[in-house]
Amino acid sequence: MRDTEDMEADAEFEEGEEPSFSDPEDFEDDTSDQELLEDILKERPQEADGIDSVIVVDNVPEVGPERLEKLKNVVHKIFSKFGKITNEFYPEEEGKTKGYIFLEYSSPAHALEAVKNADGYKLDKQHTFRVNVFTDFDKYMTISDEWETPEKQPFKDFGNLRHWMEEPDCHDQYSVIFEAGERTGIFSNDAKEAIIVEERARWTETYVRWSPKGTYLATFHQRGIALWGGEKFKQIQRFSHQGVQLIDFSPCERYVVTFSPLMDTKEDPQAIIIWDVLTGQKKRGFHCESSAHWPIFKWSHDGKFFARMTQDTLSIYEVPSMGLLDKKSLKITGIKDFSWSPGDNVIAFWVPEDKDIPGRVTLMQLPSRQEIRVRNLFNVVDCKLHWQKNGDYLCVKVDRTPKGTQGLVTNFEIFRMREKQVPVDVVEMKEGIIAFAWEPNGSKFAVLHGESPRINASFYHVKNNGKIELIKMFDKQQANSIFWSPQGQFLVLAGLRSMNGALAFVDTSDCTMMNIVEHYMASDVEWDPTGRFLVTSVSWWSHKVDNAFWLWTFQGRLLQKNNKDRFCQLLWRPRPITLLDPEQTKLIKKDLKKYSKIFEQKDRLSQSKASKELVDKRHTMMEDYHKYRELAMQMHQEQRPLRLDLRGGVDTDELDSNVDDWEEETIEFFINEEIIPIGDLA
Amino acid sequence: MRPILLQGHERSVTQIKYNREGDLLFSVAKDTVVNVWYSVNGERLGTYNGHTGAVWCVDVDWDTKNVLTGSADNSCRLWDCETGKQLALLKTSSAVRTCGFDFSGNIIMFSTDKQMGYQCFLNYFDLRDPQQIEDNQPYMTLPCSESKITSAVWGPLGEFVIAGHENGEINQFSAKSGEVLKTAKEHTKQINDMQSSVDLTMVISASKDNTAKLFDATSLDHIKTFKTERPVNSAAISPIMDHVVMGGGQEAMEVTTTSTRIGKFEARFFHAAFEDEFGRIKGHFGPINCVAFHPDGKSYSSGGEDGYTRIHYFDPHYFEFEFEG
């Protein structure tokens, strides 16, 4: 046996002894678990995980032990749809369940699904589940008890947003973009000349839009849109949406919808955003595959609903929740197009033929979803829906290829919305349709049909007795668009762009052509909101010269020609709906003669005042010019000797100064040509 | 009276000029041809043959003895008006854009284009010194370094030349010292044409900036502006009425191929004092390149891109027209 001292001294192994593999006594292991067991550690249950997967369900029936098993089964059946339930806890008190339970899933994602879908689940009449993630309780409980009053925002007074309506001479406003977009101006429409109200450089980066009731002017910028209004067109609101291209307002002006192709991500839909105009808040975002048919979301006339169509689906949302009506979309296989009635909460949509099932047009009442009318369409190729402005009529333009033929036949199916059971009348059209338009507020419609150069304009009246009468047809028209006056009765048939701006003004009360005029290369036509004036314009965006907008009366009499350097766009400011009730309107119409007299007098006064101003101005200009000419002639006279000298004494100041120098010449004039065949001379 | 149509050119007419008495009308064009016509009936008198490139300008002296033309064939030529004989050929290093006789008919000026490395020059020759012509040595030649001269006319007494430039400036160049006597910076784009009133007291400038402007010839004071929506190619002052006539057109690139406006290019008449347009005369098939009033003010002519020159005699209605006020 050796002494320990001996062992320490030995540096070498001795024969037969095993070397020691133990760590030295003061060794500290600094290799972490992470390095050694990384893959295993990943699966280590974490405290946080557990809590994130737990949901709390409230309003669970309070049951005794005899019904507990059944309750657990029902709950399990409902909640296992969202994922694997790994744990459940039914707290009890005095022999009964407390009315709330805890369920744990295998992952937090399942818990979230459960919350999303089961919250609000109606178990029975007295019990509607409320589901929350457990961690939310924590979150809400740790809210500070200290209430800090939010900082008071100073009141931004934008003044009277309807200020322009108070203009004493009832001049409507319109926006003009010119200098290729560099300048935007707002003008007041006086029949004699455009009066500038506000003009700014770079007010918008692309174009502008008015809100439907005329309260706001929306401008476009790289970072979003801005709304301007009030007397001085101050900035009222701003919406940040990078790369915004298109916008749409709800009819009540409460919401604005913006579209940008840039912003969409899978998790966070940002292509289409709906904003609350008054608060500036973002209400909801949506995906959007293509903006080809803008607006993607179509609003009901009262602004209560908005809807969009996707593959086989019609999704209807309600305000202010921005959620789906009845929490689900409508499945409509093959839906091709839809549109809201402008007068009621009714949607019209159509689906094409599907094997044995014929195509059909359906009218659906909302929010009840009741189908108030269905109309079958046989061999249909395409449909277009045209509503009359008040929703009194719907015209469905149906293109069909009848069985056994190759050609396309077009019918107009007119739905009479105000009559019981919505009867439908059919008008057959023999030629291809170029344009169709309902009379606003009326029961007439105009159609352009045929093929260039033989284009015809037909006017129809939808009568009360069930008949649709062709009132008149004008043939050989140079027109590709129809523009009705917003008040009805009058319209303009226009041949825009390639048809060189031919314009025909028609009074449809007796279908007479009031005036046929031309605005060469006109690209756009805009009626003012009252139907008194019409603007035709040549936009720089479609034609690079002669950019101007012309003002006409509703009868086709030219009032003004306004040339604007690189003029792009003119838009009338819409008017809000009248505040007068039908009784008051009737009264004013009755007294129209009296008002006419007053207005005529006013016009005559201002006319003569303008004439007088012009006369005075011209008088001054003439006087000044003649004064200048006198001085110039004086100097000219003084220089006479110099002139005579330069021309060797020959006086050339007047054409007849040198009569001696004149020569007489005989000149022949070509008068007439007569061809006489030689035979006749004999 | 129906307009007289002069068909003597196969390419666009670049300038037309009446002689002092108005019985002759000269027309030059891109087809190298120089024509002279009787203005009373449109009968062609003859041509001056020699140029081998587009002829840009023409002038005739007060006595209707000599004719001066400038061309893209890098020459300015002097001709005998009656016989058509070429009297002198002054070779230049670049195209001759504008030319003219002074009041006395003794001194000629012409400007050359900024081309092929050569600057724009304004050259003065005295015809009383045949040596200058023989040696092709102008007595004065002024370089125009900034903006080339696009059109020019003589002042009322031959003391200076009033030149319009590519940048819209108008300068008076002394014919003795060559210095710039006065400048007017009213136009914003190229000056296409400069013309004097028949008594030489005023000049009118036609510009690409869609306006024509009236100036006093001696002081270069800007007196009036006439606005249109198209570039103005040429403008002229009526000898007897307070009227000016303007002709213009659109950039060749902007004429659409689907344009069906036949015969709708118009000469436009403005009141000189009110600056308002009061009439238009249609007829050309293309933009109007030059306009000129007959010295008696009873007719006017226009030369167009279509190669035609039209002479219009005014009907009595024109002389009676008055604005309200």
Side-chain angles (χ1 to χ4, degrees):
Chain A
M1 187 135 50
R2 280 189 184 207
D3 285 334
T4 42
E5 293 140 53
D6 289 341
M7 269 174 90
E8 278 174 26
D10 262 345
E12 301 170 46
F13 295 127
E14 283 204 2
E15 244 184 86
E17 293 265 11
E18 253 194 354
S20 162
F21 288 106
S22 314
D23 290 325
E25 269 162 52
D26 51 5
F27 178 71
E28 280 193 46
D29 191 340
D30 56 12
T31 323
S32 67
D33 279 346
Q34 181 74 11
E35 287 167 44
L36 289 173
L37 310 163
E38 194 174 341
D39 45 348
I40 298 175
L41 270 178
K42 264 204 204 114
E43 282 159 23
R44 177 178 169 183
Q46 294 179 346
E47 205 179 300
D49 266 338
I51 294 186
D52 277 338
S53 315
V54 175
I55 57 170
V56 182
V57 186
D58 270 302
N59 299 337
V60 178
E62 296 169 28
V63 296
E66 71 284 357
R67 291 181 30 220
L68 186 59
E69 200 60 45
K70 187 160 179 220
L71 176 66
K72 281 194 184 175
N73 280 339
V74 171
V75 166
H76 208 249
K77 197 158 142 206
I78 297 167
F79 284 90
S80 55
K81 269 191 260 173
F82 310 111
K84 183 160 187 269
I85 299 178
T86 56
N87 216 338
E88 54 184 27
F89 178 40
Y90 288 72
E92 287 181 22
E93 192 172 1
E94 291 168 15
K96 287 222 296 217
T97 56
K98 272 179 145 181
Y100 53 89
I101 62 167
F102 298 85
L103 295 174
E104 184 181 349
Y105 285 94
S106 52
S107 93
H110 299 154
L112 286 169
E113 273 296 301
V115 168
K116 201 160 147 199
N117 291 296
D119 184 34
Y121 181 88
K122 220 172 165 185
L123 182 68
D124 58 36
K125 252 204 194 113
Q126 288 107 343
H127 297 96
T128 302
F129 287 158
R130 298 312 313 271
V131 186
N132 287 292
V133 281
F134 179 68
T135 45
D136 270 352
F137 284 88
D138 207 40
K139 184 167 89 178
Y140 294 126
M141 295 216 306
T142 52
I143 288 177
S144 162
D145 283 338
E146 303 275 326
W147 165 252
E148 277 168 39
T149 28
E151 212 180 282
K152 192 168 179 183
Q153 302 277 344
F155 175 61
K156 288 200 199 129
D157 188 1
F158 296 113
N160 180 7
L161 288 178
R162 294 261 172 93
H163 180 268
W164 92 97
M165 292 296 295
E166 288 181 352
E167 212 274 336
D169 289 319
C170 285
H171 292 148
D172 284 290
Q173 289 187 350
Y174 50 86
S175 64
V176 177
I177 299 181
F178 56 107
E179 283 184 29
E182 282 295 312
R183 295 199 79 84
T184 304
I186 311 288
F187 292 83
S188 178
N189 178 39
D190 179 301
K192 278 183 258 55
E193 57 171 352
I195 303 170
I196 185 86
V197 169
E198 186 76 28
E199 193 180 304
R200 294 184 197 167
R202 300 244 91 213
W203 200 345
T204 182
E205 283 175 36
T206 49
Y207 53 100
V208 298
R209 280 268 173 280
W210 291 102
S211 62
K213 291 190 188 160
T215 314
Y216 310 104
L217 178 73
T219 55
F220 286 70
H221 312 272
Q222 180 59 22
R223 283 194 274 173
I225 64 163
L227 296 185
W228 312 76
E231 186 185 346
K232 300 265 186 265
F233 286 96
K234 291 210 192 102
Q235 190 181 90
I236 298 184
Q237 199 65 266
R238 218 178 23 203
F239 304 99
S240 169
H241 196 174
Q242 190 79 6
V244 65
Q245 279 181 0
L246 300 163
I247 65 167
D248 187 34
F249 281 90
S250 71
C252 47
E253 295 185 336
R254 187 71 210 284
Y255 302 99
V256 65
V257 185
T258 55
F259 165 77
S260 164
L262 299 180
M263 295 296 282
D264 222 7
T265 55
K266 212 157 182 274
E267 294 77 41
D268 189 16
Q270 292 284 325
I272 296 182
I273 303 179
I274 303 191
W275 310 81
D276 182 315
V277 170
L278 291 173
T279 63
Q281 258 188 333
K282 188 188 291 199
K283 296 298 273 183
R284 190 162 170 180
F286 292 91
H287 284 302
C288 179
E289 287 77 47
S290 113
S291 64
H293 300 286
W294 185 259
I296 304 282
F297 284 101
K298 299 185 192 181
W299 290 85
S300 67
H301 74 108
D302 55 7
K304 286 219 186 88
F305 305 102
F306 55 97
R308 81 152 152 186
M309 189 179 81
T310 45
Q311 183 82 356
D312 298 334
T313 313
L314 183 64
S315 308
I316 303 167
Y317 300 83
E318 52 183 355
V319 301
S321 68
M322 303 292 165
L324 279 167
L325 178 68
D326 295 338
K327 294 213 186 295
K328 62 178 198 289
S329 301
L330 288 173
K331 185 157 159 54
I332 303 171
T333 319
I335 181 173
K336 288 284 249 171
D337 193 18
F338 80 99
S339 101
W340 288 95
S341 158
D344 312 275
N345 283 349
V346 167
I347 284 187
F349 61 87
W350 77 278
V351 286
E353 216 157 77
D354 181 23
K355 292 191 266 281
D356 290 335
I357 311 170
R360 64 196 179 285
V361 171
T362 310
L363 295 175
M364 177 184 280
Q365 178 88 263
L366 284 150
S368 66
R369 299 227 201 134
Q370 192 199 355
E371 288 186 357
I372 56 178
R373 189 70 162 89
V374 178
R375 174 115 171 135
N376 284 331
L377 310 163
F378 297 95
N379 312 117
V380 65
V381 170
D382 193 21
C383 276
K384 285 228 167 29
L385 308 167
H386 299 278
W387 283 98
Q388 186 254 23
K389 188 171 124 179
N390 299 344
D392 294 337
Y393 306 99
L394 167 68
C395 169
V396 182
K397 168 178 164 282
V398 183
D399 293 325
R400 308 168 44 232
T401 303
K403 262 213 172 67
T405 66
Q406 292 276 24
L408 211 62
V409 162
T410 306
N411 284 350
F412 290 127
E413 315 233 335
I414 313 288
F415 290 63
R416 295 166 182 270
M417 301 300 294
R418 303 291 170 220
E419 291 179 35
K420 260 207 190 119
Q421 302 193 326
V422 188
V424 181
D425 297 312
V426 182
V427 179
E428 270 180 30
M429 296 305 295
K430 304 274 185 311
E431 299 177 298
I433 307 297
I434 297 171
F436 173 95
W438 279 107
E439 179 187 19
N441 307 339
S443 46
K444 296 199 205 85
F445 60 88
V447 189
L448 284 174
H449 52 104
E451 250 177 64
S452 186
R454 319 242 343 271
I455 297 175
N456 307 311
S458 295
F459 301 90
Y460 290 84
H461 184 197
V462 181
K463 299 177 100 131
N464 285 337
N465 58 5
K467 289 218 198 7
I468 299 183
E469 183 195 324
L470 169 64
I471 317 170
K472 188 125 172 133
M473 184 178 91
F474 292 109
D475 62 357
K476 297 208 208 60
Q477 293 297 304
Q478 275 273 78
N480 53 21
S481 341
I482 304 170
F483 295 95
W484 280 95
S485 156
Q487 305 299 326
Q489 193 183 343
F490 301 99
L491 62 75
V492 170
L493 299 171
L496 296 180
R497 293 188 205 91
S498 57
M499 285 194 174
N500 297 344
L503 304 162
F505 285 76
V506 180
D507 178 350
T508 61
S509 62
D510 53 2
C511 279
T512 48
M513 284 271 177
M514 297 185 288
N515 244 314
I516 301 180
V517 288
E518 184 193 76
H519 182 174
Y520 186 60
M521 293 317 285
S523 57
D524 302 279
V525 171
E526 299 283 340
W527 280 96
D528 83 316
T530 61
R532 292 176 294 169
F533 301 101
L534 183 83
V535 165
T536 56
S537 56
V538 178
S539 167
W540 187 75
W541 290 331
S542 73
H543 197 58
K544 300 296 181 202
V545 285
D546 285 340
N547 304 118
F549 62 93
W550 292 7
L551 185 76
W552 311 77
T553 66
F554 67 98
Q555 292 165 319
R557 183 165 64 91
L558 182 61
L559 293 170
Q560 293 170 24
K561 282 189 192 182
N562 290 308
N563 293 318
K564 274 256 179 273
D565 180 25
R566 287 164 294 159
F567 161 86
C568 295
Q569 178 197 52
L570 181 148
L571 288 176
W572 288 95
R573 185 171 197 170
R575 284 186 175 215
I577 302 174
T578 180
L579 296 173
L580 299 171
D581 61 34
E583 278 302 309
Q584 291 169 305
T585 316
K586 218 162 144 186
L587 213 65
I588 293 177
K589 283 198 177 158
K590 205 168 74 143
D591 288 335
L592 200 57
K593 269 211 172 69
K594 182 174 76 180
Y595 291 118
S596 290
K597 279 208 178 67
I598 301 175
F599 292 143
E600 260 161 43
Q601 209 184 35
K602 214 170 166 206
D603 276 343
R604 245 177 281 138
L605 262 163
S606 88
Q607 187 80 297
S608 61
K609 179 163 163 274
S611 299
K612 189 168 181 302
E613 272 176 18
L614 188 62
V615 168
D616 286 342
K617 183 170 133 196
R618 289 231 170 106
H619 193 67
T620 319
M621 283 174 97
M622 185 65 103
E623 271 200 9
D624 289 342
Y625 183 68
H626 281 164
K627 252 190 238 146
Y628 156 71
R629 288 301 299 154
E630 250 180 61
L631 285 169
M633 288 322 286
Q634 239 175 36
M635 188 161 79
H636 183 81
Q637 268 302 102
E638 285 164 16
Q639 292 173 340
R640 192 175 145 81
L642 293 168
R643 283 199 296 281
L644 285 173
D645 188 45
L646 282 168
R647 286 188 174 170
V650 180
D651 181 3
T652 54
D653 277 1
E654 299 296 320
L655 273 177
D656 50 5
S657 324
N658 246 330
V659 191
D660 304 331
D661 219 17
W662 285 15
E663 288 170 22
E664 203 177 289
E665 270 187 56
T666 315
I667 308 172
E668 285 179 354
F669 278 88
F670 183 76
I671 303 286
N672 196 11
E673 190 181 332
E674 203 183 322
I675 302 173
I676 307 168
I678 297 189
D680 293 353
L681 279 177
Chain B
M1 219 179 118
R2 279 182 68 198
I4 306 174
L5 200 63
L6 308 177
Q7 299 176 51
H9 293 287
E10 281 167 21
R11 291 190 59 200
S12 51
V13 178
T14 51
Q15 193 170 37
I16 57 174
K17 266 278 167 72
Y18 281 97
N19 65 341
R20 184 183 56 85
E21 284 149 313
D23 55 318
L24 298 178
L25 180 65
F26 294 83
S27 68
V28 295
K30 285 187 184 170
D31 62 358
T32 76
V33 173
V34 180
N35 282 322
V36 63
W37 319 74
Y38 279 123
S39 61
V40 71
N41 63 353
E43 189 186 319
R44 187 161 64 168
L45 215 62
T47 57
Y48 300 85
N49 298 315
H51 276 301
T52 55
V55 186
W56 293 119
C57 51
V58 64
D59 196 16
V60 53
D61 67 2
W62 70 273
D63 216 10
T64 319
K65 288 247 168 49
N66 295 326
V67 178
L68 191 66
T69 54
S71 162
D73 66 1
N74 295 1
S75 74
C76 180
R77 299 184 195 216
L78 190 67
W79 316 79
D80 179 289
C81 181
E82 204 179 323
T83 62
K85 181 165 162 233
Q86 182 179 298
L87 301 173
L89 199 174
L90 300 165
K91 288 215 180 90
T92 59
S93 6
S94 48
V96 177
R97 190 56 72 162
T98 188
C99 62
F101 290 97
D102 79 327
F103 186 79
S104 66
N106 294 325
I107 308 195
I108 58 171
M109 67 89 183
F110 59 88
S111 78
T112 54
D113 259 355
K114 189 174 175 166
Q115 253 174 6
M116 297 185 290
Y118 292 100
Q119 262 192 55
C120 157
F121 286 96
L122 182 58
N123 299 305
Y124 296 85
F125 283 80
D126 192 327
L127 294 176
R128 296 167 292 193
D129 176 12
Q131 201 63 36
Q132 284 178 30
I133 306 287
E134 221 175 284
D135 301 341
N136 196 359
Q137 276 289 14
Y139 74 80
M140 185 161 66
T141 173
L142 306 172
C144 241
S145 48
E146 282 126 30
S147 182
K148 74 172 190 206
I149 294 174
T150 44
S151 183
V153 290
W154 279 94
L157 297 168
E159 299 148 307
F160 48 80
V161 166
I162 308 170
H165 297 255
E166 197 181 16
N167 63 0
E169 246 180 53
I170 298 175
N171 286 307
Q172 271 180 358
F173 291 96
S174 160
K176 305 227 166 40
S177 66
E179 61 176 331
V180 175
L181 301 169
K182 295 219 166 58
T183 306
K185 290 190 184 143
E186 298 288 338
H187 282 292
T188 54
K189 286 196 193 159
Q190 174 170 311
I191 307 251
N192 288 329
D193 188 27
M194 301 270 311
Q195 288 196 33
S196 307
S197 61
V198 80
D199 60 11
L200 304 177
T201 54
M202 302 188 285
V203 286
I204 189 164
S205 55
S207 167
K208 206 168 151 184
D209 68 5
N210 301 359
T211 69
K213 287 179 192 275
L214 197 63
F215 296 87
D216 179 270
T218 312
S219 65
L220 271 201
D221 281 342
H222 172 210
I223 305 176
K224 294 286 174 189
T225 300
F226 308 99
K227 293 194 183 132
T228 70
E229 341 68 54
R230 303 273 190 90
V232 187
N233 290 341
S234 177
I237 307 170
S238 168
I240 55 172
M241 310 284 289
D242 290 330
H243 298 161
V244 300
V245 64
M246 290 157 59
Q250 51 205 103
E251 297 274 322
M253 292 181 290
E254 285 159 17
V255 177
T256 61
T257 49
T258 53
S259 177
T260 50
R261 294 206 102 199
I262 301 183
K264 287 190 181 172
F265 289 85
E266 299 154 326
R268 299 163 73 162
F269 289 82
F270 282 72
H271 196 282
F274 304 144
E275 296 174 326
D276 282 334
E277 187 182 325
F278 66 89
R280 296 195 187 190
I281 296 185
K282 293 188 210 193
H284 276 284
F285 297 91
I288 295 174
N289 286 337
C290 39
V291 289
F293 271 103
H294 187 291
D296 69 8
K298 296 188 184 157
S299 61
Y300 89 100
S301 296
S302 55
E305 191 79 13
D306 52 13
Y308 291 109
T309 306
R310 300 169 66 88
I311 306 180
H312 280 268
Y313 282 82
F314 296 117
D315 52 16
H317 177 66
Y318 164 81
F319 302 100
E320 291 156 16
F321 175 80
E322 257 188 49
F323 272 100
E324 317 93 58

